Amino acid sequence: MGHRSSYHNVDLDGVTSQQWAYLAGLIDGEGSIFILRGKQPRNKRPNHGLEVTITNTSRPLIDYLLSTFGGTDRPSGKRSTENRRPQWAWVVRHHKAADYLLNTMPF
């Protein structure tokens, strides 16, 4: 899929309840919640991680999510025809993903 941008760190203390509600709606409508499974190389024990992803064709929306909530982005989907618009995914993982889900639960 190509390039993934560097992680954007932001201070979540300034995020308003309206912004958390908006994020909750985006997760509900355009998002996915994944439990990732991998193995630690040294002892081969499985480890698990959490990922929250919102995929959309609106680049300004992805940029808003990055600037407001932090995270990272990556190209998403396949462009099998010229008529298909490019897609991007906003991604947060592990403890940060859990924090985001806890903040959006009231909505």
Short mmCIF file of all heavy atoms in Angstrom, two decimals, residues 25-64:
data_model
loop_
_atom_site.label_atom_id
_atom_site.label_comp_id
_atom_site.label_asym_id
_atom_site.label_seq_id
_atom_site.Cartn_x
_atom_site.Cartn_y
_atom_site.Cartn_z
N GLY A 25 -18.86 9.29 15.97
CA GLY A 25 -19.69 9.10 14.78
C GLY A 25 -18.89 8.60 13.59
O GLY A 25 -19.37 7.74 12.84
N LEU A 26 -17.69 9.12 13.43
CA LEU A 26 -16.83 8.65 12.33
C LEU A 26 -16.42 7.20 12.52
O LEU A 26 -16.41 6.41 11.57
CB LEU A 26 -15.59 9.54 12.21
CG LEU A 26 -15.82 10.94 11.67
CD1 LEU A 26 -14.56 11.78 11.81
CD2 LEU A 26 -16.27 10.89 10.22
N ILE A 27 -16.09 6.83 13.76
CA ILE A 27 -15.73 5.43 14.03
C ILE A 27 -16.93 4.53 13.74
O ILE A 27 -16.80 3.48 13.11
CB ILE A 27 -15.22 5.25 15.47
CG1 ILE A 27 -13.87 5.95 15.65
CG2 ILE A 27 -15.11 3.77 15.83
CD1 ILE A 27 -13.41 6.04 17.10
N ASP A 28 -18.11 4.97 14.16
CA ASP A 28 -19.33 4.18 13.93
C ASP A 28 -19.64 4.04 12.45
O ASP A 28 -20.00 2.95 11.99
CB ASP A 28 -20.50 4.84 14.66
CG ASP A 28 -21.77 4.03 14.56
OD1 ASP A 28 -21.71 2.79 14.68
OD2 ASP A 28 -22.84 4.63 14.35
N GLY A 29 -19.48 5.12 11.69
CA GLY A 29 -19.87 5.10 10.28
C GLY A 29 -18.78 4.69 9.31
O GLY A 29 -19.06 4.02 8.31
N GLU A 30 -17.55 5.08 9.56
CA GLU A 30 -16.45 4.86 8.61
C GLU A 30 -15.29 4.07 9.21
O GLU A 30 -14.29 3.86 8.55
CB GLU A 30 -15.91 6.22 8.13
CG GLU A 30 -16.93 7.19 7.59
CD GLU A 30 -17.42 6.79 6.21
OE1 GLU A 30 -16.69 6.09 5.49
OE2 GLU A 30 -18.54 7.17 5.88
N GLY A 31 -15.42 3.68 10.47
CA GLY A 31 -14.27 3.12 11.17
C GLY A 31 -14.29 1.62 11.33
O GLY A 31 -15.29 0.95 11.07
N SER A 32 -13.16 1.14 11.78
CA SER A 32 -12.98 -0.28 12.10
C SER A 32 -12.16 -0.37 13.38
O SER A 32 -11.27 0.45 13.63
CB SER A 32 -12.23 -1.01 10.99
OG SER A 32 -12.95 -0.94 9.78
N ILE A 33 -12.46 -1.39 14.18
CA ILE A 33 -11.70 -1.67 15.39
C ILE A 33 -11.15 -3.09 15.24
O ILE A 33 -11.91 -4.03 14.99
CB ILE A 33 -12.60 -1.56 16.64
CG1 ILE A 33 -13.18 -0.14 16.73
CG2 ILE A 33 -11.81 -1.93 17.90
CD1 ILE A 33 -14.28 0.00 17.77
N PHE A 34 -9.83 -3.20 15.35
CA PHE A 34 -9.16 -4.48 15.13
C PHE A 34 -8.42 -4.92 16.39
O PHE A 34 -7.88 -4.10 17.11
CB PHE A 34 -8.09 -4.37 14.03
CG PHE A 34 -8.61 -3.99 12.69
CD1 PHE A 34 -8.55 -2.66 12.25
CD2 PHE A 34 -9.15 -4.93 11.84
CE1 PHE A 34 -9.01 -2.31 11.00
CE2 PHE A 34 -9.61 -4.59 10.58
CZ PHE A 34 -9.55 -3.27 10.16
N ILE A 35 -8.40 -6.22 16.59
CA ILE A 35 -7.48 -6.82 17.55
C ILE A 35 -6.40 -7.49 16.70
O ILE A 35 -6.68 -8.39 15.91
CB ILE A 35 -8.17 -7.88 18.44
CG1 ILE A 35 -9.35 -7.27 19.19
CG2 ILE A 35 -7.16 -8.52 19.38
CD1 ILE A 35 -8.99 -6.19 20.18
N LEU A 36 -5.17 -7.00 16.82
CA LEU A 36 -4.05 -7.51 16.04
C LEU A 36 -3.36 -8.62 16.81
O LEU A 36 -3.22 -8.53 18.03
CB LEU A 36 -3.06 -6.38 15.75
CG LEU A 36 -3.64 -5.11 15.13
CD1 LEU A 36 -2.59 -4.01 15.11
CD2 LEU A 36 -4.17 -5.39 13.75
N ARG A 37 -2.93 -9.64 16.11
CA ARG A 37 -2.22 -10.73 16.76
C ARG A 37 -0.88 -10.92 16.07
O ARG A 37 -0.79 -10.98 14.86
CB ARG A 37 -3.01 -12.02 16.67
CG ARG A 37 -2.37 -13.17 17.42
CD ARG A 37 -3.31 -14.36 17.48
NE ARG A 37 -2.76 -15.39 18.33
CZ ARG A 37 -2.19 -16.49 17.88
NH1 ARG A 37 -2.10 -16.72 16.59
NH2 ARG A 37 -1.71 -17.38 18.73
N GLY A 38 0.16 -11.01 16.86
CA GLY A 38 1.50 -11.25 16.34
C GLY A 38 2.26 -12.15 17.30
O GLY A 38 1.72 -12.60 18.31
N LYS A 39 3.51 -12.41 16.96
CA LYS A 39 4.35 -13.22 17.84
C LYS A 39 5.62 -12.44 18.16
O LYS A 39 6.19 -11.79 17.31
CB LYS A 39 4.72 -14.54 17.17
CG LYS A 39 3.56 -15.49 17.07
CD LYS A 39 4.01 -16.84 16.58
CE LYS A 39 2.83 -17.77 16.54
NZ LYS A 39 3.17 -19.08 16.03
N GLN A 40 6.02 -12.54 19.42
CA GLN A 40 7.28 -11.94 19.81
C GLN A 40 8.40 -12.81 19.27
O GLN A 40 8.37 -14.03 19.43
CB GLN A 40 7.35 -11.83 21.33
CG GLN A 40 6.31 -10.91 21.91
CD GLN A 40 6.34 -10.89 23.42
OE1 GLN A 40 7.03 -11.67 24.06
NE2 GLN A 40 5.58 -9.98 23.99
N PRO A 41 9.39 -12.21 18.64
CA PRO A 41 10.43 -13.00 18.00
C PRO A 41 11.25 -13.88 18.95
O PRO A 41 11.63 -14.98 18.60
CB PRO A 41 11.33 -11.97 17.32
CG PRO A 41 10.77 -10.65 17.61
CD PRO A 41 9.56 -10.80 18.45
N ARG A 42 11.50 -13.43 20.16
CA ARG A 42 12.38 -14.18 21.06
C ARG A 42 11.73 -15.43 21.62
O ARG A 42 12.30 -16.50 21.63
CB ARG A 42 12.85 -13.30 22.21
CG ARG A 42 13.90 -12.30 21.79
CD ARG A 42 14.34 -11.51 22.96
NE ARG A 42 13.22 -10.63 23.31
CZ ARG A 42 13.14 -9.91 24.40
NH1 ARG A 42 14.08 -9.96 25.29
NH2 ARG A 42 12.12 -9.13 24.61
N ASN A 43 10.52 -15.31 22.12
CA ASN A 43 9.91 -16.46 22.81
C ASN A 43 8.71 -17.04 22.05
O ASN A 43 8.08 -17.96 22.53
CB ASN A 43 9.52 -16.09 24.24
CG ASN A 43 8.57 -14.91 24.27
OD1 ASN A 43 7.93 -14.58 23.29
ND2 ASN A 43 8.49 -14.28 25.42
N LYS A 44 8.38 -16.48 20.93
CA LYS A 44 7.30 -16.96 20.06
C LYS A 44 5.93 -16.99 20.72
O LYS A 44 5.02 -17.65 20.25
CB LYS A 44 7.66 -18.33 19.50
CG LYS A 44 8.98 -18.38 18.78
CD LYS A 44 8.87 -19.19 17.53
CE LYS A 44 10.20 -19.45 16.91
NZ LYS A 44 10.85 -18.47 16.22
N ARG A 45 5.78 -16.29 21.81
CA ARG A 45 4.46 -16.17 22.45
C ARG A 45 3.62 -15.18 21.65
O ARG A 45 4.14 -14.16 21.18
CB ARG A 45 4.59 -15.65 23.87
CG ARG A 45 5.16 -16.64 24.81
CD ARG A 45 5.10 -16.08 26.21
NE ARG A 45 5.97 -16.85 27.08
CZ ARG A 45 6.46 -16.39 28.21
NH1 ARG A 45 6.19 -15.16 28.61
NH2 ARG A 45 7.25 -17.15 28.93
N PRO A 46 2.34 -15.44 21.56
CA PRO A 46 1.50 -14.47 20.85
C PRO A 46 1.36 -13.17 21.66
O PRO A 46 1.37 -13.20 22.88
CB PRO A 46 0.16 -15.17 20.71
CG PRO A 46 0.17 -16.26 21.69
CD PRO A 46 1.60 -16.59 22.00
N ASN A 47 1.29 -12.08 20.96
CA ASN A 47 0.97 -10.81 21.61
C ASN A 47 -0.17 -10.19 20.82
O ASN A 47 -0.41 -10.53 19.66
CB ASN A 47 2.18 -9.89 21.73
CG ASN A 47 2.75 -9.49 20.39
OD1 ASN A 47 2.35 -9.98 19.36
ND2 ASN A 47 3.72 -8.62 20.41
N HIS A 48 -0.90 -9.31 21.47
CA HIS A 48 -2.09 -8.72 20.85
C HIS A 48 -2.02 -7.21 20.98
O HIS A 48 -1.44 -6.68 21.92
CB HIS A 48 -3.36 -9.25 21.52
CG HIS A 48 -3.52 -10.72 21.34
ND1 HIS A 48 -2.91 -11.63 22.16
CD2 HIS A 48 -4.20 -11.42 20.42
CE1 HIS A 48 -3.22 -12.85 21.76
NE2 HIS A 48 -4.00 -12.76 20.70
N GLY A 49 -2.63 -6.54 20.04
CA GLY A 49 -2.69 -5.10 20.05
C GLY A 49 -4.03 -4.61 19.52
O GLY A 49 -4.76 -5.36 18.85
N LEU A 50 -4.36 -3.39 19.82
CA LEU A 50 -5.61 -2.78 19.41
C LEU A 50 -5.34 -1.75 18.34
O LEU A 50 -4.35 -1.01 18.43
CB LEU A 50 -6.26 -2.13 20.64
CG LEU A 50 -7.58 -1.41 20.45
CD1 LEU A 50 -8.67 -2.38 20.02
CD2 LEU A 50 -7.97 -0.72 21.76
N GLU A 51 -6.20 -1.68 17.33
CA GLU A 51 -6.06 -0.66 16.29
C GLU A 51 -7.44 -0.09 15.97
O GLU A 51 -8.40 -0.84 15.82
CB GLU A 51 -5.45 -1.27 15.02
CG GLU A 51 -5.30 -0.26 13.89
CD GLU A 51 -4.65 -0.86 12.66
OE1 GLU A 51 -3.41 -0.98 12.66
OE2 GLU A 51 -5.38 -1.23 11.73
N VAL A 52 -7.51 1.23 15.87
CA VAL A 52 -8.71 1.92 15.42
C VAL A 52 -8.35 2.63 14.12
O VAL A 52 -7.34 3.33 14.04
CB VAL A 52 -9.21 2.95 16.46
CG1 VAL A 52 -10.38 3.75 15.93
CG2 VAL A 52 -9.57 2.25 17.76
N THR A 53 -9.17 2.42 13.09
CA THR A 53 -8.91 2.96 11.77
C THR A 53 -10.17 3.63 11.23
O THR A 53 -11.27 3.09 11.40
CB THR A 53 -8.49 1.83 10.80
OG1 THR A 53 -7.38 1.15 11.35
CG2 THR A 53 -8.14 2.35 9.44
N ILE A 54 -10.02 4.78 10.61
CA ILE A 54 -11.10 5.43 9.86
C ILE A 54 -10.61 5.61 8.44
O ILE A 54 -9.56 6.21 8.21
CB ILE A 54 -11.49 6.79 10.47
CG1 ILE A 54 -12.07 6.58 11.87
CG2 ILE A 54 -12.47 7.54 9.56
CD1 ILE A 54 -12.33 7.86 12.63
N THR A 55 -11.35 5.07 7.48
CA THR A 55 -10.97 5.14 6.08
C THR A 55 -11.95 6.06 5.35
O THR A 55 -13.16 5.97 5.57
CB THR A 55 -11.00 3.74 5.44
OG1 THR A 55 -10.11 2.90 6.20
CG2 THR A 55 -10.55 3.78 4.01
N ASN A 56 -11.41 6.93 4.48
CA ASN A 56 -12.25 7.88 3.78
C ASN A 56 -11.56 8.38 2.52
O ASN A 56 -10.34 8.34 2.44
CB ASN A 56 -12.58 9.05 4.72
CG ASN A 56 -13.84 9.77 4.33
OD1 ASN A 56 -13.81 10.59 3.43
ND2 ASN A 56 -14.93 9.46 5.00
N THR A 57 -12.35 8.88 1.58
CA THR A 57 -11.79 9.47 0.36
C THR A 57 -11.50 10.96 0.52
O THR A 57 -10.92 11.57 -0.37
CB THR A 57 -12.73 9.27 -0.84
OG1 THR A 57 -13.99 9.88 -0.54
CG2 THR A 57 -12.92 7.80 -1.16
N SER A 58 -11.88 11.54 1.65
CA SER A 58 -11.65 12.97 1.89
C SER A 58 -10.31 13.18 2.58
O SER A 58 -10.16 12.93 3.79
CB SER A 58 -12.77 13.54 2.76
OG SER A 58 -12.45 14.84 3.18
N ARG A 59 -9.34 13.66 1.83
CA ARG A 59 -8.03 13.94 2.44
C ARG A 59 -8.13 15.02 3.51
O ARG A 59 -7.48 14.91 4.56
CB ARG A 59 -7.03 14.33 1.33
CG ARG A 59 -5.62 14.56 1.84
CD ARG A 59 -5.04 13.27 2.38
NE ARG A 59 -4.26 13.53 3.58
CZ ARG A 59 -3.46 12.66 4.16
NH1 ARG A 59 -3.33 11.44 3.66
NH2 ARG A 59 -2.80 12.96 5.23
N PRO A 60 -8.96 16.08 3.32
CA PRO A 60 -9.09 17.07 4.40
C PRO A 60 -9.62 16.47 5.71
O PRO A 60 -9.23 16.90 6.79
CB PRO A 60 -10.07 18.10 3.83
CG PRO A 60 -9.87 18.01 2.35
CD PRO A 60 -9.61 16.55 2.08
N LEU A 61 -10.48 15.46 5.64
CA LEU A 61 -10.96 14.80 6.86
C LEU A 61 -9.81 14.10 7.57
O LEU A 61 -9.66 14.22 8.79
CB LEU A 61 -12.08 13.81 6.54
CG LEU A 61 -12.53 12.96 7.73
CD1 LEU A 61 -13.14 13.82 8.83
CD2 LEU A 61 -13.49 11.87 7.29
N ILE A 62 -9.00 13.36 6.83
CA ILE A 62 -7.85 12.67 7.43
C ILE A 62 -6.89 13.67 8.05
O ILE A 62 -6.39 13.46 9.17
CB ILE A 62 -7.15 11.78 6.38
CG1 ILE A 62 -8.11 10.74 5.80
CG2 ILE A 62 -5.89 11.13 6.96
CD1 ILE A 62 -8.73 9.79 6.80
N ASP A 63 -6.65 14.80 7.37
CA ASP A 63 -5.78 15.84 7.92
C ASP A 63 -6.36 16.43 9.21
O ASP A 63 -5.62 16.72 10.15
CB ASP A 63 -5.53 16.93 6.89
CG ASP A 63 -4.67 16.45 5.74
OD1 ASP A 63 -3.93 15.44 5.89
OD2 ASP A 63 -4.74 17.07 4.65
N TYR A 64 -7.69 16.61 9.26
CA TYR A 64 -8.35 17.09 10.48
C TYR A 64 -8.13 16.10 11.63
O TYR A 64 -7.81 16.51 12.75
CB TYR A 64 -9.85 17.29 10.23
CG TYR A 64 -10.65 17.43 11.50
CD1 TYR A 64 -10.68 18.63 12.19
CD2 TYR A 64 -11.34 16.35 12.03
CE1 TYR A 64 -11.39 18.76 13.38
CE2 TYR A 64 -12.05 16.46 13.21
CZ TYR A 64 -12.07 17.66 13.89
OH TYR A 64 -12.77 17.77 15.07
#
